[in-house]
């Protein structure tokens, strides 16, 4: 059974924070430094963590923490304005100003930096944000590392000044000057003592996944804030199944056209959700019996194969019954 501390680590806390600083970091990118309304310290976090920000319409968006994990008085996030998005980033850019209050949840981490002697970091656009504290952690651990950072143009690439101080360990790829990231060269030779961490647009993540196919298992770690393209399953293939909540003995039916999460919410099950797209990890639930049909963008291949947890907002059942630790 999940302990209260494990649940807090997964779900995070809800806070109201003040925007202490707003900075233009690049074309279309602003950073927000958030501080507590009182003098209390903020919850600790480590490299790879993100928070949920409640935007104007009451929904949430996930943003990586990209400040200094050793500071407990502030958090920093960076937000790319996406004109074709759902409106959250436009709300931040157009509405949020210094002194405003924001509701946030977290931090949570499904992109942890595992110990290794060497790292290759690959960032695309705003995907560089979770890599900044990872670089600091690698430095502190005395590990070797390199960063390949690509973007549309130098003017659109945030935090260049912060990264330029690392010299040749950081290679910038502004597409309009150098072309796209040279993944063939970067990933040609596998290394058993090197971990690859990548965050960026889905096309970049898929390309890196493809080009690291000959690397040792477990070498690649990626983070997505949009659903991976291979999780889409035709609606006509879905089937109804039942879910038992082990703690109460309640059994519910999940129709073919509804999610597990929506049914659980109807019976007031103790489950938290945020993105409803299988990307944030907040609805992760322990599976005690049955075979999940994984459709999330969070779990690794090994975690999927284990079958002992699932994201109930998108994943379903391969059989006729699941038993969940709820």
């Amino acid at each position: 059974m999940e302990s209260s501390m494990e649940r807090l680590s997964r779900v995070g806390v809800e806070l109201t924070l003040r925007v202490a600083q707003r900075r233009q970091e690049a074309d279309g990118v602003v950073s927000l430094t958030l501080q507590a309304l009182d003098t209390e310290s903020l919850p600790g976090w480590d490299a790879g963590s993100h928070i949920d920000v409640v935007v104007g319409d009451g929904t949430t968006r996930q943003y990586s923490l990209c400040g200094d994990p050793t500071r407990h008085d502030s958090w920093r996030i960076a937000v790319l304005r996406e004109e074709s998005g759902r409106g959250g980033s436009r709300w931040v850019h157009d509405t949020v100003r210094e002194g405003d209050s924001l509701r946030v949840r977290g931090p949570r981490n499904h992109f942890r930096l595992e110990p290794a002697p060497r790292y290759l970091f690959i960032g695309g656009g705003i995907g560089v944000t979770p890599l900044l504290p990872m670089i600091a952690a690698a430095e502190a651990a005395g590990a070797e590392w390199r960063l390949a950072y690509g973007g549309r143009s130098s003017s659109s690439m945030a935090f260049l000044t912060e990264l330029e101080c690392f010299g040749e360990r950081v290679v910038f790829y502004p597409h309009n000057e150098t072309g796209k990231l040279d993944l063939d060269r970067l990933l040609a030779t596998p290394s058993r003592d090197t971990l690859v961490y990548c965050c960026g647009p889905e096309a970049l993540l898929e390309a890196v996944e493809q080009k690291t196919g000959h690397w040792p298992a477990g070498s690649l770690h990626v983070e997505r804030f949009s659903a991976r393209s291979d999780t889409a399953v035709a609606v006509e293939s879905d089937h109804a199944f039942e879910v038992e909540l082990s703690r109460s003995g309640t059994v519910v039916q999940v129709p073919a056209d509804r999610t597990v999460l929506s049914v659980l919410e109807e019976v007031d099950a103790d489950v938290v959700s945020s993105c409803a797209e299988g990307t944030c990890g907040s609805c992760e639930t322990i599976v005690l019996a049955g075979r999940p049909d994984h459709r999330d963008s969070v779990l690794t291949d090994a975690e999927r194969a284990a079958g002992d947890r699932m994201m109930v907002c998108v994943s379903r059942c391969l059989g006729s019954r699941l038993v969940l630790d709820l």
Side-chain angles (χ1 to χ4, degrees):
M1 182 179 297
E2 183 180 46
S3 70
S4 59
M5 288 301 295
E6 288 171 332
R7 177 178 172 80
L8 181 61
S9 175
R10 173 172 61 82
V11 175
V13 297
E14 180 163 330
L15 301 167
T16 299
L17 303 181
R18 178 177 63 87
V19 180
Q21 184 181 62
R22 171 188 163 121
R23 286 181 41 141
Q24 192 76 34
E25 301 290 353
D27 293 346
V29 179
V30 297
S31 68
L32 304 178
T33 299
L34 309 176
Q35 293 182 340
L37 297 178
D38 51 33
T39 58
E40 293 184 8
S41 297
L42 295 175
W45 61 281
D46 53 3
S49 297
H50 70 269
I51 59 172
D52 300 336
V53 175
V54 181
V55 298
D57 62 359
T59 60
T60 59
R61 301 293 185 272
Q62 289 74 48
Y63 298 108
S64 296
L65 291 172
C66 58
D68 182 355
T70 66
R71 292 193 59 173
H72 301 292
D73 63 337
S74 65
W75 289 342
R76 183 178 70 169
I77 60 173
V79 181
L80 169 68
R81 184 185 184 99
E82 298 183 86
E83 296 295 347
S84 60
R86 294 173 293 167
S89 67
R90 295 195 302 274
W91 178 81
V92 171
H93 277 253
D94 295 343
T95 306
V96 178
R97 295 292 182 264
E98 291 183 2
D100 288 350
S101 295
L102 290 180
R103 287 171 54 211
V104 306
R105 302 187 188 113
R108 294 195 302 274
N109 198 342
H110 286 275
F111 194 41
R112 295 188 186 279
L113 186 68
E114 302 293 338
R118 295 179 179 83
Y119 299 97
L120 172 59
F121 300 115
I122 301 175
I126 198 64
V128 76
T129 51
L131 305 182
L132 298 179
M134 289 188 176
I135 288 172
E139 282 277 284
E144 297 180 19
W145 62 270
R146 294 176 295 146
L147 168 66
Y149 177 16
R152 295 190 310 276
S153 64
S154 295
S155 63
S156 71
M157 297 168 68
F159 307 113
L160 290 185
T161 302
E162 287 187 27
L163 291 167
E164 285 171 346
C165 67
F166 292 112
E168 295 181 352
R169 285 184 289 177
V170 178
V171 180
F172 301 103
Y173 291 85
H175 297 175
N176 64 337
E177 300 174 27
T178 65
K180 294 185 178 181
L181 286 157
D182 189 357
L183 298 180
D184 288 327
R185 181 183 63 81
L186 289 167
L187 300 170
T189 305
S191 173
R192 291 193 175 277
D193 62 358
T194 300
L195 295 182
V196 180
Y197 279 79
C198 180
C199 187
E202 182 61 23
L204 171 64
L205 300 182
E206 291 183 353
V208 170
E209 287 174 332
Q210 178 184 5
K211 294 180 184 299
T212 53
H214 61 302
W215 281 60
S219 296
L220 177 62
H221 301 258
V222 302
E223 181 170 52
R224 287 176 162 89
F225 285 112
S226 60
R228 55 193 297 168
S229 60
D230 62 358
T231 57
V233 179
V235 173
E236 56 266 24
S237 71
D238 290 344
H239 64 274
F241 55 95
E242 68 179 25
V243 172
E244 178 184 342
L245 283 61
S246 67
R247 301 183 194 180
S248 65
T250 301
V251 177
V252 295
Q253 303 297 319
V254 180
D257 60 349
R258 293 188 59 189
T259 66
V260 177
L261 175 63
S262 68
V263 175
L264 293 178
E265 289 176 332
E266 278 191 352
V267 296
D268 295 324
D270 185 21
V271 62
V272 175
S273 67
S274 177
C275 71
E277 296 180 336
T279 59
C280 76
S282 64
C283 69
E284 180 178 333
T285 302
I286 301 299
V287 178
L288 300 176
R291 296 175 57 210
D293 178 5
H294 294 294
R295 303 184 186 182
D296 66 275
S297 302
V298 177
L299 298 178
T300 65
D301 290 342
E303 289 169 334
R304 289 183 172 207
D308 59 356
R309 67 194 68 189
M310 66 183 291
M311 306 301 159
V312 294
C313 65
V314 292
S315 297
R316 302 185 64 79
C317 178
L318 289 173
S320 61
R321 180 181 175 88
L322 290 172
V323 181
L324 302 181
D325 184 19
L326 292 171

